[in-house]
Amino acid sequence: MHTTQSTSALDRRTFLAILSAAGTAALTAPALAKSTLFAPDPTLILEWQALKPGFHAVVDQNTGGNTLVFTTKDQALLIDTKFAHLAGALRADALAMATKDATLTLINTHHHGDHTGGNGMVVPFAADSYAHENAIDRIKSQLPRVKQGAKGGPARLKGTNAPDALLKLATQAAEESESWTEASVTPTHALKDKATLTLADTKIDLYHFDPAHTDNDLVVHFPDHNLIHTGDLVFNKLHPFFDPNGGGSALGWKNALKSILKLCDDNTTIIPGHGDIDTTKAVKAQLNYITKLIAHVQADIKAGVPKSETTQKTWDFMQGLGFEGIRERAIAFTYDELAG
Ligand SMILES: [Zn+2]
């Protein structure tokens, strides 16, 4: 009999992963049974989607934020580290795509644990690592949960088709996590509003716009390659996650998306924080969602509709999206911000 994972079960697992990443629950990643995460290519451990020459991404809704890697012969840049049991493989694969002795660089798009949970397997090996200045203390404070998550990593791979190399790296992360300190997981460079890196003659612009998904979102733009990792400013075909403790803002999110659109043309490759790789239309769709969410909630507040009633609503722009489990949070967060 043919069976497929039901959307609701998938949503439930992803929902838990995102909640845990935001500190609402223990830092755990969902099970990986029947995952397509593992590479058919024996030289790599994880399945990477080739985007453009030098650019590959791991796009998998069950294992935290999308990781992008940019490699040349001498350089390997990782953007986000998912969880500890996967991050050794992210690092190994990035170096396999460059060369074993390539210089490793890390950028975290924001502090959430599904984007930084694997930092302990990357930061100590990176020549340079970057995050927004507001992310630094938040990442440090996550250390106990990250260690706990790393210890549970190997168990999460049991019963999956995970290759031996991944199991070995997950076990290594679990063991080494005992001795991780704040320095092991925290990027060494704290950025403000704008920075430019140059790796192997490739320009990389890092932008922090208004408080949006969090107070420390970084957008990573490769202007010569017309490619942007938006971090969690874009949830593609998914409800966006609003974190009441992350310092974000629905109004700021709208502005940040407008700022991203100024960097784009119609053909820009968009790597969203969650969901499939896309073009500029994914940014436009996210802007449409946030704009309409603000308008509808504002209208309800003006009409005296109580929060408990507004959060039960759904509107046309919300139809057909994944992560249904976080729809209500989006409305509640926006209501609190606008009514505040
Ligand atoms: Zn996030």
Side-chain angles (χ1 to χ4, degrees):
M1 196 175 80
H2 181 70
T3 56
T4 50
Q5 185 78 49
S6 81
T7 305
S8 61
L10 197 67
D11 268 6
R12 175 80 186 145
R13 295 206 322 243
T14 307
F15 176 48
L16 288 174
I18 290 182
L19 281 185
S20 68
T24 311
L27 189 71
T28 54
L32 290 172
K34 292 181 187 167
S35 177
T36 54
L37 183 69
F38 312 125
D41 175 350
T43 63
L44 298 173
I45 301 168
L46 301 175
E47 171 129 35
W48 294 82
Q49 208 172 309
L51 307 179
K52 294 187 176 195
F55 292 92
H56 294 82
V58 177
V59 179
D60 179 276
Q61 285 191 19
N62 292 311
T63 56
N66 293 331
T67 289
L68 176 70
V69 69
F70 167 63
T71 51
T72 66
K73 191 166 158 291
D74 305 322
Q75 300 284 342
L77 166 67
L78 267 177
I79 302 175
D80 287 346
T81 62
K82 293 184 175 287
F83 295 103
H85 63 293
L86 299 169
L90 294 173
R91 186 189 79 219
D93 282 355
L95 293 175
M97 284 186 244
T99 48
K100 203 163 70 63
D101 300 322
T103 302
L104 185 66
T105 304
L106 169 68
I107 297 170
N108 284 142
T109 60
H110 62 296
H111 73 282
H112 280 156
D114 58 329
H115 297 255
T116 61
N119 276 12
M121 293 297 279
V122 179
V123 169
F125 303 88
D128 293 290
S129 46
Y130 300 87
H132 186 265
E133 60 182 1
N134 294 340
I136 301 296
D137 284 347
R138 292 182 180 280
I139 291 172
K140 285 180 181 168
S141 72
Q142 289 173 169
L143 179 64
R145 286 193 298 116
V146 165
K147 285 177 150 189
Q148 189 192 335
K151 283 195 189 90
R156 257 169 249 131
L157 297 171
K158 284 218 175 84
T160 72
N161 54 337
D164 289 346
L166 180 60
L167 292 169
K168 206 174 146 195
L169 285 161
T171 303
Q172 191 190 333
E175 289 168 4
E176 289 180 1
S177 67
E178 296 278 350
S179 58
W180 286 350
T181 63
E182 288 181 351
S184 317
V185 299
T186 308
T188 50
H189 299 278
L191 304 178
K192 292 182 189 290
D193 292 347
K194 163 100 199 274
T196 298
L197 313 178
T198 305
L199 290 181
D201 295 330
T202 298
K203 193 176 155 206
I204 302 154
D205 290 325
L206 300 155
Y207 295 93
H208 170 71
F209 300 118
D210 296 37
H213 174 68
T214 67
D215 63 2
N216 60 87
D217 307 302
L218 286 181
V219 170
V220 187
H221 183 211
F222 296 81
D224 304 333
H225 298 273
N226 201 12
L227 182 144
I228 299 176
H229 192 314
T230 65
D232 279 0
L233 295 180
V234 175
F235 282 71
N236 194 14
K237 299 190 174 71
L238 304 165
H239 288 280
F241 178 68
F242 284 83
D243 174 7
N245 302 311
S249 156
L251 294 169
W253 200 326
K254 184 175 157 183
N255 290 336
L257 289 164
K258 286 180 179 171
S259 298
I260 295 175
L261 282 176
K262 287 183 189 151
L263 306 173
C264 297
D265 61 28
D266 287 348
N267 300 315
T268 304
T269 301
I270 298 294
I271 295 91
H274 297 268
D276 292 339
I277 307 294
D278 211 322
T279 61
T280 308
K281 68 178 180 356
V283 184
K284 289 181 178 164
Q286 189 71 89
L287 176 59
N288 180 58
Y289 183 112
I290 304 282
T291 302
K292 288 190 172 157
L293 175 64
I294 290 169
H296 281 287
V297 171
Q298 188 71 70
D300 270 14
I301 292 170
K302 207 173 164 195
V305 179
K307 181 179 165 189
S308 57
E309 229 173 90
T310 302
T311 53
Q312 296 313 305
K313 291 187 178 182
T314 184
W315 298 283
D316 59 347
F317 67 91
M318 291 180 159
Q319 297 309 306
L321 300 180
F323 291 8
E324 172 63 19
I326 56 177
R327 178 185 56 81
E328 209 174 308
R329 288 173 73 97
I331 301 171
F333 180 102
T334 306
Y335 195 105
D336 288 342
E337 179 179 346
L338 297 177

